[in-house]
Amino acid sequence: MSKCEQCIVRKFNSLKHLSKDELVRMSACKTSKIIKKGEPLFVEGEHINGVFCIKDGICKVSKMSENGKNQIVNLVHRGDLIGERSLISDEVSNLNAVALNDLEICFIPKTEIIRDLEKNPNFTMDVLKTMANSLKNADNLIVDMAQKTVKQRLAEALLNLEEKFGTTNEGTLDIQLSREDIANIIGTATESAIRLLSNLKKKEIIVFKGKDIKIINHNELEKISHGF
Amino acid sequence: MSKCEQCIVRKFNSLKHLSKDELVRMSACKTSKIIKKGEPLFVEGEHINGVFCIKDGICKVSKMSENGKNQIVNLVHRGDLIGERSLISDEVSNLNAVALNDLEICFIPKTEIIRDLEKNPNFTMDVLKTMANSLKNADNLIVDMAQKTVKQRLAEALLNLEEKFGTTNEGTLDIQLSREDIANIIGTATESAIRLLSNLKKKEIIVFKGKDIKIINHNELEKISHGF
DNA sequence: AAAAAAAGCTGATAAATATCATATTTTATC
DNA sequence: GATAAAATATGATATTTATCAGCTTTTTTT
């Protein structure tokens, strides 16, 4: 099993503030796991009892609405920690996390994280900062959801996806989402998402390469996302 | 000027974890202020440089959308702290805070809060918990905004307002919001909010007492909020 | 108290979006 | 490789919501 103190991934998150000693202890109690595409990492109502550190892959974080639709509130990937929220408030998870592709994760038990939070102020402050940042993002998303049209949200989502996950050699977004996933990100019916996507394609703002999407007119997409 | 160590309001928020000494020092550097109804406490883009503790009154926390509409993301009142987020991430505010009625607040400068965060782990953990809770609420709001109809959101908002702010002797919601405010909470046009409200009135689910709203059929409102 | 401004209300209409139906294409399974 | 299943696509229609216009009531200002 790999060792936390040698793991490059921790550099991307709050764990970078842990000392050698703390990392060695963490190594000793962490477990690694592969989650297959489509499988859940955890589900709503589950006691997580720890934190997941994503080594590889992408995980969609979502919540079921009362009318049975799945709203994706976040996409996390390599380097991200997930599960801190539930751990800190000592509650069951309010969210579902499902592997978008094969996921390589480490699980760090709650006791270990709590100990570090209590002993290492730099770590705690970084967790606090991360959470503050998530909160800002969440506020922005609330405003977008409440005030932007579906068309605007789709344009914005595509740009955000490119920024966050980058592009392949082909220039396509380096994340494979189904039409349904895209609909669940922007909060609309799958048919509506499909319609708007093919509209963007017709206007030559995006192209489809197989399953993948390539943005070819960023400027125009930007404009649409701002409501023009 | 009143003293923090004697102030009952701090019991409602993370400041309850501060020691006598810490509170005395805070008293020495805090400033008190009255913000008149309609006046801003702070605005988007402003460097807040501290935290506000609300002694009395209600403050609406909002964000401008690109199309010029104001989305209310939170209503804070007596006992709440506001401004932690910007302080922690060391950024300008991403939100506006405007007094809904006359507001009595204390301002605690950043340096003082940072010092306490560094020195008092109980305080820090409580801030972390508060933030985690805000994040959960924000996620729920995202899902509501994305998936519920305006009618559902209105019903839910009314119930939430009653739960959070309680009722007067008359049984009306103990918070005075304009129709525009209500529209800005649920993310719709003012006319739509008005229409839906008078609809609820026609169905005798709510009544208007002057400016105030009284819920008379909670059950039905609950049903509507769940989509029936 | 009169005038002006703001807030609240209602109707008509347009635009956005959901829903249902059905067809086509892609992917998985045997 | 045939078949079944899932994903994608498109049209028709219904529903929801926004916008615009005009009107009434309430609040503020003078």
Side-chain angles (χ1 to χ4, degrees):
Chain A
M1 185 165 303
S2 68
K3 294 178 178 171
C4 295
E5 63 272 28
Q6 287 165 12
C7 178
I8 188 76
V9 161
R10 73 165 204 283
K11 301 273 187 186
F12 298 134
N13 61 44
S14 301
L15 301 178
K16 64 172 168 280
H17 291 282
L18 298 188
S19 69
K20 185 89 189 286
D21 279 4
E22 288 165 332
L23 287 169
V24 168
R25 196 173 49 230
M26 184 167 285
S27 262
C29 67
K30 78 128 199 286
T31 52
S32 294
K33 218 182 188 175
I34 304 279
I35 310 282
K36 283 284 180 192
K37 176 177 175 169
E39 297 290 312
L41 185 53
F42 56 81
V43 296
E44 249 174 290
E46 189 176 332
H47 249 297
I48 310 187
N49 269 318
V51 160
F52 298 94
C53 179
I54 300 186
K55 277 177 85 173
D56 201 28
I58 302 178
C59 183
K60 47 183 178 179
V61 182
S62 67
K63 188 171 159 63
M64 263 324 206
S65 73
E66 280 165 0
N67 56 13
K69 285 190 184 165
N70 209 21
Q71 178 66 38
I72 296 179
V73 296
N74 204 3
L75 292 165
V76 295
H77 61 153
R78 185 175 149 87
D80 289 327
L81 288 180
I82 174 170
E84 302 144 289
R85 221 266 320 140
S86 304
L87 181 142
I88 287 163
S89 28
D90 203 17
E91 292 173 344
V92 297
S93 174
N94 59 324
L95 301 169
N96 302 295
V98 174
L100 193 63
N101 45 30
D102 286 358
L103 212 56
E104 219 181 311
I105 54 106
C106 290
F107 174 78
I108 305 152
K110 178 171 178 165
T111 48
E112 190 56 32
I113 295 287
I114 294 284
R115 178 204 291 239
D116 293 331
L117 281 174
E118 280 167 356
K119 296 281 161 63
N120 186 335
N122 287 333
F123 174 61
T124 313
M125 276 308 282
D126 202 85
V127 171
L128 204 50
K129 275 188 188 170
T130 306
M131 196 107 53
N133 198 50
S134 300
L135 203 49
K136 185 175 73 171
N137 291 339
D139 283 337
N140 288 336
L141 196 49
I142 290 168
V143 177
D144 280 356
M145 287 300 177
Q147 304 280 5
K148 287 193 169 180
T149 64
V150 176
K151 195 197 285 187
Q152 285 179 282
R153 298 197 312 252
L154 175 61
E156 190 177 29
L158 290 173
L159 290 167
N160 287 345
L161 287 172
E162 185 172 274
E163 192 183 332
K164 183 162 182 179
F165 298 101
T167 52
T168 62
N169 304 334
E170 302 268 291
T172 58
L173 301 186
D174 202 2
I175 177 173
Q176 277 225 2
L177 295 163
S178 69
R179 299 298 190 248
E180 192 182 357
D181 287 332
I182 294 177
N184 291 347
I185 291 171
I186 61 181
T188 191
T190 307
E191 297 96 318
S192 298
I194 289 173
R195 240 183 277 274
L196 290 169
L197 277 170
S198 47
N199 217 269
L200 290 177
K201 184 187 162 191
K202 204 177 292 168
K203 290 198 219 150
E204 298 186 319
I205 293 167
I206 60 173
V207 289
F208 303 156
K209 299 212 164 188
K211 295 244 91 180
D212 300 332
I213 294 174
K214 179 177 177 177
I215 300 176
I216 52 180
N217 192 340
H218 292 77
N219 231 317
E220 195 56 29
L221 213 49
E222 197 87 51
K223 272 194 211 159
I224 292 172
S225 86
H226 295 316
F228 301 109
Chain B
M1 182 164 305
S2 67
K3 293 177 177 173
C4 296
E5 63 271 28
Q6 288 166 10
C7 178
I8 188 77
V9 162
R10 73 163 203 284
K11 301 273 186 185
F12 298 134
N13 60 45
S14 301
L15 300 178
K16 65 173 167 282
H17 290 284
L18 297 189
S19 68
K20 186 89 191 285
D21 279 4
E22 287 166 332
L23 287 169
V24 169
R25 197 173 46 231
M26 185 168 283
S27 261
C29 68
K30 77 129 199 288
T31 52
S32 294
K33 220 181 187 174
I34 304 279
I35 310 281
K36 285 281 180 193
K37 178 178 174 169
E39 297 290 311
L41 185 55
F42 56 80
V43 295
E44 247 174 290
E46 189 178 332
H47 249 296
I48 310 186
N49 268 318
V51 160
F52 297 95
C53 180
I54 299 187
K55 277 177 86 172
D56 201 28
I58 301 177
C59 182
K60 47 184 178 178
V61 182
S62 67
K63 188 171 158 63
M64 264 323 206
S65 74
E66 279 165 1
N67 57 12
K69 285 190 184 163
N70 209 22
Q71 178 66 36
I72 296 179
V73 295
N74 204 3
L75 291 165
V76 295
H77 61 152
R78 185 175 150 87
D80 288 328
L81 289 179
I82 174 172
E84 301 143 290
R85 221 267 320 141
S86 305
L87 180 143
I88 287 162
S89 28
D90 203 17
E91 290 174 346
V92 296
S93 174
N94 59 324
L95 301 170
N96 303 294
V98 173
L100 194 63
N101 44 29
D102 287 358
L103 211 58
E104 219 181 310
I105 55 107
C106 289
F107 175 77
I108 305 151
K110 177 170 177 164
T111 48
E112 190 57 31
I113 295 287
I114 294 285
R115 179 206 291 241
D116 293 331
L117 282 173
E118 281 167 356
K119 297 279 161 64
N120 185 335
N122 288 333
F123 174 62
T124 313
M125 276 310 281
D126 201 85
V127 171
L128 204 50
K129 275 187 187 170
T130 307
M131 195 106 53
N133 198 51
S134 300
L135 203 50
K136 186 176 72 171
N137 291 338
D139 282 337
N140 288 336
L141 196 48
I142 290 168
V143 177
D144 281 356
M145 288 298 178
Q147 305 280 6
K148 287 192 169 181
T149 65
V150 176
K151 195 197 283 185
Q152 286 178 281
R153 300 200 306 258
L154 175 61
E156 191 178 29
L158 290 173
L159 291 167
N160 287 344
L161 287 172
E162 186 173 273
E163 191 184 332
K164 184 162 183 179
F165 297 101
T167 52
T168 62
N169 304 334
E170 303 268 290
T172 58
L173 300 186
D174 202 3
I175 177 174
Q176 277 226 359
L177 294 163
S178 69
R179 299 297 190 249
E180 193 182 356
D181 286 332
I182 294 176
N184 291 347
I185 291 171
I186 62 181
T188 191
T190 307
E191 297 96 318
S192 299
I194 289 174
R195 239 183 278 274
L196 291 169
L197 277 170
S198 47
N199 218 269
L200 290 177
K201 184 188 162 191
K202 203 177 293 169
K203 290 199 220 150
E204 297 185 320
I205 293 167
I206 59 173
V207 289
F208 303 156
K209 300 212 165 189
K211 293 244 91 180
D212 299 333
I213 295 173
K214 178 176 177 178
I215 301 176
I216 51 180
N217 192 339
H218 292 77
N219 230 318
E220 194 57 29
L221 212 49
E222 198 85 50
K223 272 195 212 158
I224 292 172
S225 88
H226 295 315
F228 301 111

